[in-house]
Amino acid sequence: MFEAHQPTADLSSSQSRHEDNSIDEQILDQIINSKTHNCPLRIWSSHGKRKDNLGKPNTFLFLYIEYKDHRNNSCYLCKELDSGLLLDHQFLIMLAESVLLKDISVQQTREWLSNNP
């Protein structure tokens, strides 16, 4: 089971954790350059919870990497990261820059992102 949470409050870069162990509310939503495919990619993140086998909810950060395939379909890869880890924007960007994307069309992705910044 998945429950996403989009932050609506303070989006500052503070990385403090609350006593209830909730993950901070900072998110990503930007265009980066893929070092693997040498083209731009759109990345964004969301916080959410997923229940384990015992029904206990665990918090995660979901990192989405969006691109176009050879049929000009919008595609994305989602990486689930344990919120207990020390995650910062630089780490998330480095992860997204280096990921191998299935059936990516560099040309279609470039055109899409240049028309929709």
Side-chain angles (χ1 to χ4, degrees), residues 2 4-7 24-30 42-48 60-65 78-79 81 87-89 92:
F2 167 73
H5 298 274
Q6 289 291 343
D24 64 25
E25 292 296 322
Q26 65 176 307
I27 60 169
L28 283 175
D29 188 358
Q30 69 187 75
R42 178 172 178 246
I43 63 170
W44 75 95
S45 64
S46 178
H47 301 288
F60 287 89
L61 181 126
F62 297 89
L63 176 64
Y64 295 90
I65 305 162
C78 179
K79 294 287 191 181
L81 303 164
L87 303 171
D88 63 11
H89 283 188
L92 297 173

Side-chain angles (χ1 to χ4, degrees), residues 6-12 25:
Q6 289 291 343
T8 58
D10 180 20
L11 297 178
S12 67
E25 292 296 322

Side-chain angles (χ1 to χ4, degrees), residues 83-97:
S83 66
L85 303 173
L86 293 176
L87 303 171
D88 63 11
H89 283 188
Q90 184 177 2
F91 172 79
L92 297 173
I93 291 169
M94 286 174 48
L95 176 63
E97 287 173 337

Side-chain angles (χ1 to χ4, degrees), residues 91-105:
F91 172 79
L92 297 173
I93 291 169
M94 286 174 48
L95 176 63
E97 287 173 337
S98 62
V99 72
L100 183 61
L101 299 168
K102 181 180 179 182
D103 197 32
I104 185 172
S105 169

Side-chain angles (χ1 to χ4, degrees), residues 17-76:
R17 293 194 177 253
H18 308 304
E19 289 185 19
D20 65 355
N21 292 327
S22 64
I23 52 182
D24 64 25
E25 292 296 322
Q26 65 176 307
I27 60 169
L28 283 175
D29 188 358
Q30 69 187 75
I31 306 299
I32 63 163
N33 189 52
S34 170
K35 293 182 179 179
T36 305
H37 300 285
N38 194 27
C39 73
L41 301 171
R42 178 172 178 246
I43 63 170
W44 75 95
S45 64
S46 178
H47 301 288
K49 294 182 180 181
R50 184 179 295 277
K51 291 184 179 179
D52 64 15
N53 293 339
L54 301 175
K56 179 185 173 198
N58 296 304
T59 54
F60 287 89
L61 181 126
F62 297 89
L63 176 64
Y64 295 90
I65 305 162
E66 189 173 5
Y67 61 98
K68 293 285 188 170
D69 68 10
H70 290 93
R71 294 176 303 250
N72 202 30
N73 294 320
S74 290
C75 302
Y76 69 91

